[in-house]
Amino acid sequence: MSTKKALSLMLVVFVLVSLMVVVGCEEPEEVVDPDPEEVEPVGPIRWTIASGWVAGVYYPISGAMSRVAYENMDNISLTAEASGASVANARLIGTKDAELAILQNDIAYYAYNGIEMYEGEGVPEMRGFFTLYPEHCQIVASADAGIENPGDLAGKAVAVGPLGSGTEANAVQILEAYDLTFDDLGSVERLTASEAADFLRDGRVDAAFFTVGLGAAAIEEVAIVKDVVIVSIEDDKIDWLIETYPYYSKEVIPADTYSGVPESTTVAVLAMVVGHADLPHDLAYEYTSQIFENIDTIHGAHERGTLITLDTALDGMPIELHPGAEQYFQEQGLID
Ligand code: GLU
């Protein structure tokens, strides 16, 4: 081997050995456990919104709210769940089984203050977000059942509202205005809204109470195939109801709101959104602002959705606002 070749070989060996040393001595990469405090949450936070009857209005409206969340909120995903509605929904907020809920403003007031059906088991941790649209107390009766006013319900077969509904509470109060209780009815049925519609259609009940936004599918489903009326409440009884239970207002239901059903006069409350006081301020703010910034999606979900507006968002608010929602309405100049 020439000296030149020997030198080249030594050089190659030197380079190889140096490489092996460098590689061999390389510090193993240190594996550090991430500090759980610093870990970014993976994906959006999942919230449930307790809604109501599939054949009612809360359900399509909360479905539209979850669509707004899906399309516009990076940090919240919203799942709408059907339920008996108002009375049950306030309890779901209390037990933290739902982060948000839609319910009637009269029921929200009772739950927050621990009165009426919430005596001794109030939900003071419930906070208001915004109000939605009027819900009329609609007593749908077979046209041939001879029911001229709620007093005529005595002795009749009546669906008084689903279990856990606000409807049932309204039925108790409307009957009270006529000095009646459930004991005076011929039979008392607690059915889902869709079952109540089936029972009315088949003549298995004479009448059914629904406190729900006008145009609810449950009522139209009956009106389309059967002669029904919405029973009017007389003026003096309406005055008594408003005086005794302040969240009622007097409302007329125009003729043909449902196929062939004549005009009637009744009382109404307001639907509203509530949430748990513990919901983070920034997320509550984000939810409120995105709903109003994408209100067209809500308006498209149901005709009653078109009554949900920023201007009326705090009308009839019966309880303390969530601070995140409050901040949004302050920025919009609705409150100081
Ligand atoms: N207001 C009804 C109730 O609480 C529910 C109506 C709906 O689901 O749209 O009884």
Side-chain angles (χ1 to χ4, degrees):
M1 195 187 292
S2 70
T3 324
K4 210 170 161 192
K5 267 193 180 161
L7 274 174
S8 315
L9 191 64
M10 277 171 65
L11 191 67
V12 170
V13 170
F14 177 75
V15 169
L16 281 177
V17 169
S18 317
L19 266 175
M20 280 164 70
V21 168
V22 170
V23 171
C25 294
E26 204 179 354
E27 285 274 298
E29 220 175 279
E30 204 185 337
V31 182
V32 185
D33 279 337
D35 179 349
E37 299 279 295
E38 282 174 16
V39 179
E40 287 283 311
V42 184
I45 292 204
R46 298 168 70 91
W47 280 358
T48 293
I49 180 162
S51 57
W53 318 332
V54 174
V57 182
Y58 294 178
Y59 197 67
I61 296 292
S62 50
M65 287 177 178
S66 68
R67 192 155 63 248
V68 169
Y70 178 72
E71 287 167 0
N72 305 284
M73 304 180 204
D74 293 336
N75 41 10
I76 306 169
S77 102
L78 206 55
T79 307
E81 271 182 21
S83 74
S86 299
V87 173
N89 288 357
R91 296 202 170 109
L92 290 172
I93 294 290
T95 55
K96 294 194 171 182
D97 286 305
E99 284 74 19
L100 295 171
I102 303 187
L103 43 64
Q104 297 174 197
N105 67 341
D106 53 340
I107 305 298
Y109 180 79
Y110 302 149
Y112 179 80
N113 291 294
I115 56 174
E116 300 280 329
M117 68 289 281
Y118 298 97
E119 199 73 60
E121 44 165 14
V123 189
E125 61 275 42
M126 186 166 80
R127 293 291 176 273
F129 275 69
F130 41 87
T131 56
L132 300 171
Y133 57 84
E135 295 191 84
H136 297 62
C137 298
Q138 301 167 70
I139 309 168
V140 183
S142 299
D144 58 10
I147 302 169
E148 300 279 314
N149 65 60
D152 295 331
L153 291 169
K156 303 285 188 201
V158 183
V160 295
L163 267 183
S165 66
T167 297
E168 183 176 343
N170 302 135
V172 169
Q173 294 169 352
I174 292 167
L175 290 173
E176 186 188 357
Y178 284 83
D179 290 324
L180 297 176
T181 69
F182 284 176
D183 291 343
D184 298 307
L185 303 176
S187 70
V188 174
E189 306 288 347
R190 286 188 181 78
L191 309 167
T192 66
S194 308
E195 286 168 348
D198 289 348
F199 272 52
L200 259 176
R201 207 181 40 219
D202 305 345
R204 280 183 279 171
V205 293
D206 301 303
F209 282 82
F210 301 89
T211 300
V212 67
L214 296 183
I219 300 177
E220 180 58 16
E221 273 166 25
V222 185
I224 215 157
V225 293
K226 189 182 169 83
D227 260 356
V228 288
V229 293
I230 297 180
V231 178
S232 282
I233 307 176
E234 291 145 311
D235 279 348
D236 58 326
K237 306 296 184 191
I238 289 183
D239 292 344
W240 181 85
L241 282 164
I242 293 173
E243 223 168 87
T244 315
Y245 302 105
Y247 289 97
Y248 284 127
S249 62
K250 178 179 172 176
E251 301 288 339
V252 170
I253 303 176
D256 279 318
T257 296
Y258 304 96
S259 305
V261 177
E263 180 183 289
S264 59
T265 307
T266 187
V267 286
V269 291
L270 284 173
M272 65 180 291
V273 174
V274 298
H276 198 284
D278 280 358
L279 297 182
H281 185 114
D282 56 334
L283 295 184
Y285 173 89
E286 162 96 352
Y287 166 75
T288 310
S289 61
Q290 289 301 333
I291 291 297
F292 285 97
E293 270 149 47
N294 296 284
I295 200 72
D296 288 351
T297 304
I298 311 291
H299 289 178
H302 190 278
E303 186 276 325
R304 291 287 101 178
T306 60
L307 301 178
I308 304 170
T309 67
L310 184 57
D311 281 353
T312 55
L314 297 179
D315 291 359
M317 174 59 67
I319 61 170
E320 190 181 336
L321 282 179
H322 190 289
E326 186 176 34
Q327 185 194 335
Y328 177 72
F329 294 122
Q330 277 164 346
E331 285 173 10
Q332 300 302 310
L334 251 70
I335 42 174
D336 296 332

